[in-house]
């Protein structure tokens, strides 16, 4: 039974059953951060209650337990994204830190005039660290233009690749629009021209199976908190040779072989890129989130999310006076999110009025100001879904938006 199947999943998220004032909570802000299933909350609580100790440093029992659990998650992540080696998986504090580590780490690999290509739809986390790298090295940033459907303009991309860029930074799924990039094809083309490739998977990882060996990118990054795990932990995957070239952005304990006042010798991967005490409980929570995802009927979930998103788009269009962005109704490849505006109303006003009816959406530039600029927008509203979203959420949202429309138009 379709309904029971899905309600069993939804029930695992305690935050979703609450009421706000006199309405049900309608959480359509999963792209900003997902809610957490009980299994993740329990794993972190259990760690603090029973096993809390620092990793790697001591011979005692609790430290051994903490280290075993922490390192087990590294193997779990390796297998989850199909990386070739466990030491290609680096624990960070999130996508932002992961990209900063790559951009900083390449400081000695770029020179004046080298070209860095960046997806126009990129999140600021996949723009600003590259601008800083460009400042340090004299490299030049070139945005990859989008076509009228907000997808990468392939002709323009091919022309830019002919300039032999050193780095190509892409998003897998745009956080602002939910548009999906054909990353495998984009990466293959970039590699043919000798570029290093980074794929920001923050908005893809919870919604689809990711296989980094198949994508063949040099770097793939994501955050735990957008995939039903805790905040404060993220992943930097790097192909071993690419990762091994990075200068460590952070130095200190854990990442060394030997230290003296004359010379310090850095350790091997993965430790070399994990200075200091890592987010241990969060890593363990991420491991539980992977167990949760792997326990899902993933194909069914993907179909469920696709159907919900299409229903959401149809309902928005039926409501009228709605502009959708990055949606191609004849070729629906959007993932997780729909971006819209209500007539000429300010997105912030719409968001506040929706909140009064229990509906949580995000309004603003979505940390993608260059993308908003390319669409000639100040901002927009974004409704985003996750595994737990059901049709009742969409219906509540549309009913609330109808009220907002009646009020404002
Ligand atoms: N990239 C994308 C595509 C994102 O959606 C986000 C989060 N909104 C980030 C990067 C930054 O992730 P974090 O804030 O977890 O570091």
């Amino acid at each position: 039974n379709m309904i029971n199947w899905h309600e069993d999943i939804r029930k695992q998220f305690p935050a979703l059953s609450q009421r706000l004032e006199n309405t049900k909570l309608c959480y359509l802000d999963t792209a900003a951060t997902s809610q957490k299933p009980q299994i993740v909350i329990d794993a972190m609580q259990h760690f603090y209650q029973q096993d809390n100790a620092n990793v790697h440093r001591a011979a005692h029992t609790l430290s051994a337990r903490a280290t075993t659990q922490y390192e087990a998650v590294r193997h779990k992540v390796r297998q989850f994204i199909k990386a070739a080696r466990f030491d290609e998986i680096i624990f960070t504090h999130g996508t932002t830190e992961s990209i900063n580590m790559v951009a900083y780490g390449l400081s000695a690999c770029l020179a004046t005039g080298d070209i860095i290509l960046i997806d126009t739809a990129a999140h600021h986390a996949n723009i600003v660290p590259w601008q800083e790298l460009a400042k340090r090295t004299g490299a030049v940033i070139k945005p990859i233009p989008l076509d009228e459907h907000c997808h990468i303009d392939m002709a323009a991309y091919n022309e830019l690749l002919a300039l032999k860029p050193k780095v190509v930074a892409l998003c897998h799924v745009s956080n602002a629009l939910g548009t999906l990039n054909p990353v495998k094809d984009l990466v293959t083309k970039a590699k043919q021209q000798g570029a290093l490739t980074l794929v920001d998977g923050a908005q893809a990882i919870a919604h689809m199976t990711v296989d980094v060996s198949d994508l063949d990118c040099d770097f793939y990054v994501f955050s735990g908190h957008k995939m039903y795990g805790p905040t404060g932990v993220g992943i930097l995957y790097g192909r071993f040779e690419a990762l091994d070239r990075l200068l460590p952005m952070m130095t200190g304990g854990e990442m060394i072989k030997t230290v003296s006042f004359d010379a310090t010798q850095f350790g091997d991967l993965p430790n070399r890129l994990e200075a200091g005490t890592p987010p241990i409980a969060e890593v363990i929570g991420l491991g539980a989130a992977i167990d949760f995802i792997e326990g899902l009927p993933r194909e069914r979930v993907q179909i469920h999310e696709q159907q919900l998103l299409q229903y959401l788009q149809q309902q928005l269009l039926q409501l009228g006076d709605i502009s959708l962005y990055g949606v191609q109704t004849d070729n629906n490849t959007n993932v997780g999110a729909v971006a819209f505006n209500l007539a000429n109303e300010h997105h912030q006003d719409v968001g506040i009025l929706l909140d009064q009816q229990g509906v949580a959406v995000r309004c603003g530039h979505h940390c993608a100001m260059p993308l908003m600029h390319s669409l000639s927008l100040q901002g927009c509203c974004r409704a985003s879904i996750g595994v737990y979203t059901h049709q009742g959420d969409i219906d509540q949202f549309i009913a609330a938006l109808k009220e907002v429309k009646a009020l404002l138009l």
Side-chain angles (χ1 to χ4, degrees):
N1 179 312
M2 278 298 276
I3 304 294
N4 288 344
W5 154 79
H6 189 256
E7 280 307 305
D8 283 346
I9 292 172
R10 187 175 164 92
K11 269 195 313 219
Q12 296 176 47
F13 291 80
L16 293 175
S17 56
Q18 69 187 288
R19 290 185 68 84
L20 302 175
E21 302 274 331
N22 288 318
T23 60
K24 279 193 275 189
L25 167 66
C26 171
Y27 189 75
L28 293 176
D29 199 19
T30 294
T33 200
S34 64
Q35 295 300 339
K36 319 305 175 199
Q38 194 63 46
I39 182 182
V40 168
I41 300 167
D42 288 347
M44 295 177 73
Q45 187 177 0
H46 182 271
F47 173 75
Y48 279 128
Q49 284 178 342
Q50 305 283 327
D51 305 326
N52 178 53
N54 211 331
V55 290
H56 297 148
R57 278 173 220 174
H60 65 76
T61 303
L62 292 195
S63 179
R65 275 194 218 153
T67 304
T68 302
Q69 291 174 53
Y70 177 82
E71 289 301 327
V73 178
R74 197 186 307 278
H75 289 272
K76 199 171 273 186
V77 174
R78 183 202 73 69
Q79 160 266 323
F80 183 59
I81 61 170
K82 301 185 175 61
R85 306 166 52 141
F86 82 98
D87 50 6
E88 295 178 325
I89 306 299
I90 306 297
F91 291 120
T92 69
H93 293 87
T95 306
T96 302
E97 185 177 50
S98 299
I99 300 173
N100 272 277
M101 284 168 65
V102 175
Y104 179 87
L106 293 174
S107 296
C109 301
L110 269 72
T112 306
D114 283 348
I115 292 169
I116 301 171
L117 300 187
I118 305 180
D119 193 339
T120 294
H123 187 281
H124 296 163
N126 202 10
I127 299 176
V128 186
W130 300 115
Q131 289 175 323
E132 291 301 303
L133 174 64
K135 276 190 213 161
R136 285 192 296 277
T137 58
V140 179
I141 307 269
K142 289 190 186 286
I144 308 166
L146 304 179
D147 64 20
E148 72 273 26
H149 302 297
C150 304
H151 292 127
I152 281 184
D153 179 332
M154 290 306 278
Y157 184 58
N158 289 332
E159 273 175 34
L160 286 167
L161 286 179
L163 304 174
K164 303 262 177 211
K166 284 282 168 20
V167 177
V168 175
L170 301 165
C171 49
H172 197 163
V173 171
S174 150
N175 68 302
L177 306 180
T179 43
L180 171 69
N181 263 333
V183 270
K184 186 170 178 185
D185 184 36
L186 297 174
V187 166
T188 303
K189 289 192 160 118
K191 286 182 89 93
Q192 280 165 0
Q193 302 301 324
L196 280 170
T197 52
L198 179 139
V199 179
D200 175 354
Q203 294 297 341
I205 194 74
H207 300 289
M208 60 185 73
T209 318
V210 170
D211 181 335
V212 292
S213 298
D214 180 55
L215 289 180
D216 206 25
C217 51
D218 294 291
F219 303 102
Y220 193 93
V221 297
F222 54 97
S223 298
H225 71 97
K226 294 184 198 276
M227 53 176 285
Y228 314 114
T231 54
V233 60
I235 296 295
L236 164 57
Y237 155 81
R239 205 170 44 75
F240 185 85
E241 294 72 25
L243 206 54
D244 208 33
R245 285 169 68 188
L246 299 182
L247 285 173
M249 182 173 80
M250 299 281 281
T251 56
E254 299 271 353
M255 56 77 67
I256 51 82
K257 268 200 184 93
T258 61
V259 176
S260 78
F261 283 109
D262 299 322
T264 287
Q265 214 192 344
F266 295 162
D268 295 327
L269 292 175
N271 298 354
R272 190 161 59 78
L273 294 175
E274 290 183 11
T277 298
I280 305 166
E282 288 78 4
V283 166
I284 288 165
L286 175 62
I290 293 174
D291 290 342
F292 168 76
I293 290 175
E294 290 192 324
L296 293 169
R298 293 198 78 183
E299 267 179 43
R300 243 171 147 179
V301 167
Q302 222 165 326
I303 293 167
H304 172 78
E305 290 190 7
Q306 271 306 319
Q307 287 174 343
L308 274 184
L309 212 61
Q310 281 174 24
Y311 180 65
L312 174 53
Q313 291 165 1
Q314 285 160 7
Q315 293 294 303
L316 279 168
L317 289 174
Q318 250 176 45
L319 188 67
D321 295 306
I322 293 284
S323 308
L324 296 183
Y325 306 107
V327 173
Q328 239 178 310
T329 33
D330 55 329
N331 173 24
N332 209 318
T333 53
N334 292 45
V335 176
V338 176
F340 67 95
N341 272 317
L342 172 62
N344 292 319
E345 298 305 321
H346 196 277
H347 46 86
Q348 208 68 36
D349 296 338
V350 175
I352 289 166
L353 292 169
L354 286 172
D355 177 58
Q356 289 172 2
Q357 299 177 74
V359 177
V361 298
R362 187 134 302 234
C363 302
H365 53 61
H366 310 289
C367 297
M369 288 172 89
L371 172 64
M372 293 296 122
H373 184 76
S374 80
L375 291 167
S376 305
L377 292 176
Q378 294 292 322
C380 59
C381 302
R382 175 190 70 189
S384 58
I385 63 166
V387 59
Y388 38 70
T389 312
H390 61 185
Q391 195 183 322
D393 290 318
I394 311 298
D395 291 337
Q396 185 179 345
F397 163 63
I398 294 293
L401 195 56
K402 212 177 236 170
E403 298 274 322
V404 175
K405 187 179 158 185
L407 206 68
L408 292 179
L409 299 195

